[in-house]
Amino acid sequence: MDESKVDGVDPLSVTKRLQRDGRWSEVEPVRDRLIKECRKQGMSKPDAQTWTYSELDRLYPPLGAQWTDDSGSQLGTVDGGNVTGLGDIPASWGELPSNATLQAEIAWCQANRLWIVEEKSDGATVVHLNLARSPAPSWSALGWLETSIRAYAKYVDVAAKVTATHQDQQDLVRRERMAIDEIRSLLAEMLEDNDER
């Protein structure tokens, strides 16, 4: 078996394709974050790289390719449309980190996309980062902004999953706080009963 290929995905080919498409600067921070997250979950370095490159190949298909969800339903097309302004970082933003949490990156895109993305009648898209309500949390957030422009349906799919996960976490925290409050109340009652004896 060719060890340079994983599940039919050749990491070098994926990297070269993304560099050719001019998307590597967007993808590299995502790659680093995915590998880091896999390693935190206990994956070996080779397994983390295998999974990550397979995921990058899925998330960033060749330009002109169709994106589909797990059921095979078409989600959208990755186009080669002209997007300008993504690199015009306002000086007031300072140095951006490579990445932040996925929730923070998607939330920033959701909050700012309508303010900063201008779609021209000739098909070009201009991004006005200076109109953003807050600085991007990371370079990776700018990559997600580009994904929202080039493959909106795929971006919406990712955003929905991130939002659902975040909502589940909030619900869990809320339930835990309620349980803690109940325990405190019971302990207070027990102390009162004990003091009365």
Side-chain angles (χ1 to χ4, degrees), residues 60-125:
Y60 301 92
L63 294 178
Q66 297 292 320
W67 253 328
T68 58
D69 63 13
D70 295 336
S71 69
S73 299
Q74 183 175 322
L75 294 173
T77 302
V78 180
D79 63 22
N82 187 17
V83 178
T84 59
L86 279 169
D88 300 334
I89 309 297
S92 62
W93 286 14
E95 186 66 33
L96 294 178
S98 295
N99 51 48
T101 66
L102 186 55
Q103 284 108 351
E105 292 168 353
I106 296 296
W108 180 84
C109 289
Q110 292 290 85
N112 288 284
R113 189 178 191 285
L114 290 175
W115 294 100
I116 65 177
V117 176
E118 176 188 6
E119 294 178 354
K120 304 268 190 174
S121 58
D122 64 358
T125 303

Side-chain angles (χ1 to χ4, degrees), residues 37-196:
E37 288 173 3
C38 288
R39 296 287 285 152
K40 281 183 182 177
Q41 293 177 6
M43 282 188 178
S44 67
K45 185 175 180 179
D47 288 345
Q49 289 175 333
T50 298
W51 183 87
T52 296
Y53 276 95
S54 178
E55 191 67 4
L56 291 177
D57 192 50
R58 183 183 72 81
L59 290 172
Y60 301 92
L63 294 178
Q66 297 292 320
W67 253 328
T68 58
D69 63 13
D70 295 336
S71 69
S73 299
Q74 183 175 322
L75 294 173
T77 302
V78 180
D79 63 22
N82 187 17
V83 178
T84 59
L86 279 169
D88 300 334
I89 309 297
S92 62
W93 286 14
E95 186 66 33
L96 294 178
S98 295
N99 51 48
T101 66
L102 186 55
Q103 284 108 351
E105 292 168 353
I106 296 296
W108 180 84
C109 289
Q110 292 290 85
N112 288 284
R113 189 178 191 285
L114 290 175
W115 294 100
I116 65 177
V117 176
E118 176 188 6
E119 294 178 354
K120 304 268 190 174
S121 58
D122 64 358
T125 303
V126 180
V127 177
H128 303 280
L129 293 175
N130 59 317
L131 299 177
R133 295 185 157 217
S134 63
S138 66
W139 280 100
S140 185
L142 298 177
W144 283 113
L145 180 63
E146 184 177 17
T147 300
S148 79
I149 294 166
R150 294 185 185 271
Y152 188 70
K154 180 59 183 174
Y155 168 78
V156 169
D157 184 48
V158 171
K161 289 177 182 173
V162 167
T163 304
T165 301
H166 184 66
Q167 185 63 44
D168 290 346
Q169 290 172 347
Q170 285 179 328
D171 290 344
L172 178 63
V173 168
R174 191 176 302 112
R175 286 192 303 272
E176 286 177 352
R177 284 188 182 146
M178 288 173 59
I180 290 170
D181 288 343
E182 283 182 38
I183 291 170
R184 284 185 178 147
S185 176
L186 289 171
L187 288 172
E189 286 177 28
M190 288 172 64
L191 284 173
E192 285 176 18
D193 288 346
N194 208 17
D195 287 344
E196 290 175 6

